[in-house]
Amino acid sequence: MAGLNYDSLKEERAKIKNDPFPIKEKELIDRYMKVSTPMVNDVLREMELTFQTFPNNLMPLRESMKMAGCAFTIKGSKNLTLNEEMIDRAKMLESIPEDSVCVWDTSEDNESAQWGEIMTMASIRQGCRGAVVDGGVRDTDRVLELGFPLFCKYRTSNGMLGRFRIIGYQMPVMMGNVLVYPGDVILGDIDGCICIPREIAYDVLLRAEEIRDNEVKIKEMVESGMKPTTVVENGGYF
């Protein structure tokens, strides 16, 4: 009797996306910083990808915060054990690549702070561009002073030790209903965070830039006093 074959699924779930972009990775990330999540969302919708936004309770600590980078994924959950926990955390921090955004799947934790001042300092030293944590932050005043873009659910004084621990990193994670692979492009701004699959990230960027430039013309039509129906007839939208 034939057993179940999960080889293909195993290979898919072990994937780290590191295929090169048509342009340098840093240039791509810098250009994403000049478009917005709504523009990118509209492009993904054109491509029939309508579920790429992270949960709408993951918002920036400060409205002006914006980030873009390639996903460095982290997975953790509630756990009372302390053995080697701090070592695992340190190894994770040393693995963060330059121009990345940390994407931390906490298994819907609602008690601990997975991010704080010292972790922020270590991430900045690694060249990390920001983080989105489906959990909490502490040392909030210091994180704000460091100017590090952080998106999270809540604030708490509870540290992770003895409450929560890392399971692993650089593995596929879930942020709400969004499956995020290491290497996908993450963009976050005042309207939340969105995941752009790496294999289409360059094409999405080009189209988002077109939308950005086109919206300048649409705004000019509206400011000129043109009727909304006429704006639409001339290729505009609302």
Side-chain angles (χ1 to χ4, degrees), residues 70-88:
C70 295
F72 176 84
T73 61
I74 310 164
K75 176 69 175 176
S77 66
K78 291 182 178 181
N79 193 314
L80 304 183
T81 62
L82 280 69
N83 186 44
E84 301 295 321
E85 193 275 343
M86 201 64 71
I87 292 295
D88 291 343

Side-chain angles (χ1 to χ4, degrees), residues 72-77 88-89 91-92 95 103-105 164-173 182:
F72 176 84
T73 61
I74 310 164
K75 176 69 175 176
S77 66
D88 291 343
R89 202 187 307 185
K91 290 178 179 178
M92 179 274 290
S95 299
V103 180
W104 199 325
D105 173 2
F164 180 100
R165 71 180 299 156
I166 294 169
I167 295 170
Y169 48 91
Q170 287 300 73
M171 61 176 66
V173 298

